[in-house]
Amino acid sequence: MKALVINGPNLNMLGIREPDIYGSDTYEKLVEICQSAADDLGLDGIEVFQSNHEGAIVDRIQEAYGTVDGIVINPAAYTHTSIAILDALKAVGIPAVEVHISAVEEREEFRQVSYAGMACFARVTGEGLQGYTHALRLLAEKLGL
Ligand code: DQA
C-alpha cells in the first residue's frame, strides 16, 4: 500500500505557530512520525506533502489517482472552507482519513464544519502529531494490511 499524507496551510509552521494548541514539535518531526509509522505498518511507500495553496492540494489529490492507495489529509483551515478539496477527494475515490492535531470539535464555531471530512471514512482529532500514526493505522486496516 502506498500512502499519501497531505497537509494544508500553516502546518509548515508547526513548532512556531500557537504551541499552546499545536505543540512545540516541528513540521520535520511530523514528517518523521509519518515515515516511521509507514515503516511499522509495512507500507510500500509514503509521501508527505504540504502546501499553503488550495489549488496545489487539489492538483496533488488529482495526481494521486492510479498511483496512491490511501490518503491521510489535514486540510488545516481549508477543512472549513474548501469544496474544491472535497470534490477532488470524491473525484479520485481514494480511501481517505481526515486528521487534525487539535480537538477541532471543542474549538470555535467556524471550525465545526468539515467539507473534506465528507469524503473521508474516518476522522482523528485532538491526538497531536501522533494522530497521524493513528490515521495511517486506520487506513492500513481499511485496505486490509
Ligand atoms: C487544524 C485545525 C484547523 O481548524 C486549523 O485551521 C489548522 C489546523 C488541526 O490540525 O488541528 O490549521 O487542521
Side-chain angles (χ1 to χ4, degrees):
M1 167 188 139
K2 286 203 179 95
L4 171 64
V5 178
I6 297 177
N7 287 304
N10 301 306
L11 290 169
N12 56 316
M13 296 289 282
L14 283 175
I16 298 168
R17 91 180 271 215
E18 301 178 273
D20 47 319
I21 297 174
Y22 300 111
S24 53
D25 284 331
T26 62
Y27 184 71
E28 287 65 37
K29 175 75 181 175
L30 173 59
V31 174
E32 273 172 39
I33 287 171
C34 292
Q35 282 164 347
S36 100
D39 289 346
D40 292 347
L41 291 164
L43 305 192
D44 297 327
I46 187 164
E47 182 196 342
V48 186
F49 173 84
Q50 191 276 330
S51 178
N52 293 325
H53 304 279
E54 184 177 18
I57 294 169
V58 169
D59 286 345
R60 189 63 197 88
I61 293 168
Q62 290 183 7
E63 284 158 16
Y65 183 71
T67 62
V68 164
D69 303 301
I71 291 175
V72 167
I73 185 162
N74 183 349
Y78 291 140
T79 306
H80 319 299
T81 61
S82 180
I83 297 167
I85 292 174
L86 167 63
D87 284 350
L89 288 169
K90 284 173 144 181
V92 296
I94 299 170
V97 180
E98 174 186 13
V99 63
H100 297 283
I101 296 165
S102 65
V104 275
E105 65 280 2
E106 294 167 9
R107 298 181 64 194
E108 300 93 330
E109 196 57 38
F110 62 83
R111 294 185 205 274
Q112 300 313 312
V113 67
S114 170
Y115 290 105
M118 295 172 194
C120 295
F121 72 84
R123 178 177 220 226
V124 176
T125 69
E127 297 182 19
L129 300 193
Q130 287 305 333
Y132 286 74
T133 303
H134 185 181
L136 283 163
R137 191 171 357 105
L138 292 174
L139 198 56
E141 281 167 14
K142 176 84 171 176
L143 294 170
L145 252 191

